[in-house]
Structure formats: C-alpha cells, structure tokens
Amino acid sequence: MAKEFHRADRVADAMRRELARLIQHEVRDPRVGMVNVNDVEVSRDLTVAKVYVTLVGEDDRSKIDISMNALNKAAGFLRTQLAKEIQIRTIPRLQFRYDETSVRGQHLSALIDKAVKADQSKSQDSDQDTDKDSDD
C-alpha cells in the first residue's frame, strides 16, 4: 500500500529544503552560525511551522540561546523570502526550536562506548587472572 502524503507534509518538506538554503545564503546575522535544519512540522491548517534546527559545533547553552533568538527575529524576513520561492497562498509563521536529539544521541553514544571499553578491560583483566591461576 502506498504511503499517503498530506499537503502539510509536502509544504514542510519544501520549507525545510528552502530554509536550509536561505539561512545559509541570506541571513547575514553574525550571531547565527552554521545551522542544520533537521525538521519542519507544519500544522494542518498551514498557519504555523515549527522549524527544528541544530547549531554545528556549538555546545554552549548561552550561545545557542543567542543564536535561536536571532533566528526567531529573522523569522519574518525568512517568511518573506519563502513566499517568493514557494507558491502557496500563505506561508506559515515560523517558530525556530533548538533540536537536542542529535546532542543527546552523541552523549548516549559516548556513554555506550565508555561502558563497552570498561567491560572489555574488565574482561581482559579477568582473563589474565584466570591465566595466572592456571599456571600455578
């Protein structure tokens, strides 16, 4: 059975692609660094779009907040630019949100790697102890 695509999903996909381009090329605010547009969720009535972004190489929460404020202030400009590129009657209001899923994923991955290394070192230590016991 074919997957059903709703209009809001198609608009969100077009907005995601276009916003990524616009933020990279048109936003001249130095507070906005390298931004990845991870997802766009558009409401069913196409009035509001939540834009989930991450900032490349930025871990400092205060700098993230400053960048997010700058993006939200540029939302009107970006909405105007989107209206020129996407042919729909009204462009949804943009609400930028910081997406912490990739940061959490990296943190969890680091914890897993640490646990695996600790487990391997304990396994090697117990193997060496077993070898010494068998030699005696």
Side-chain angles (χ1 to χ4, degrees), residues 28-43:
R28 301 282 185 236
D29 194 330
R31 298 174 292 177
V32 178
M34 293 285 293
V35 176
N36 282 340
V37 179
N38 294 347
D39 193 23
V40 176
E41 291 180 1
V42 177
S43 63

Side-chain angles (χ1 to χ4, degrees), residues 23-93:
I23 291 171
Q24 182 180 7
H25 296 292
E26 301 296 327
V27 175
R28 301 282 185 236
D29 194 330
R31 298 174 292 177
V32 178
M34 293 285 293
V35 176
N36 282 340
V37 179
N38 294 347
D39 193 23
V40 176
E41 291 180 1
V42 177
S43 63
R44 284 250 184 243
D45 61 356
L46 303 178
T47 58
V48 177
K50 294 177 186 172
V51 182
Y52 295 94
V53 298
T54 55
L55 304 171
V56 177
E58 193 59 65
D59 295 330
D60 184 14
R61 190 64 200 181
S62 63
K63 290 183 180 179
I64 290 169
D65 290 340
I66 290 170
S67 294
M68 294 309 297
N69 285 335
L71 276 173
N72 280 309
K73 288 186 180 189
F77 167 74
L78 290 169
R79 186 177 179 200
T80 302
Q81 296 302 313
L82 279 173
K84 294 176 183 176
E85 300 296 327
I86 300 175
Q87 300 301 314
I88 59 175
R89 184 174 294 160
T90 58
I91 297 291
R93 277 184 298 117

Side-chain angles (χ1 to χ4, degrees), residues 8-34:
D9 296 334
R10 292 190 307 268
V11 170
D13 187 49
M15 288 180 67
R16 183 188 53 79
R17 281 184 273 123
E18 195 58 35
L19 278 170
R21 187 189 69 76
L22 287 171
I23 291 171
Q24 182 180 7
H25 296 292
E26 301 296 327
V27 175
R28 301 282 185 236
D29 194 330
R31 298 174 292 177
V32 178
M34 293 285 293

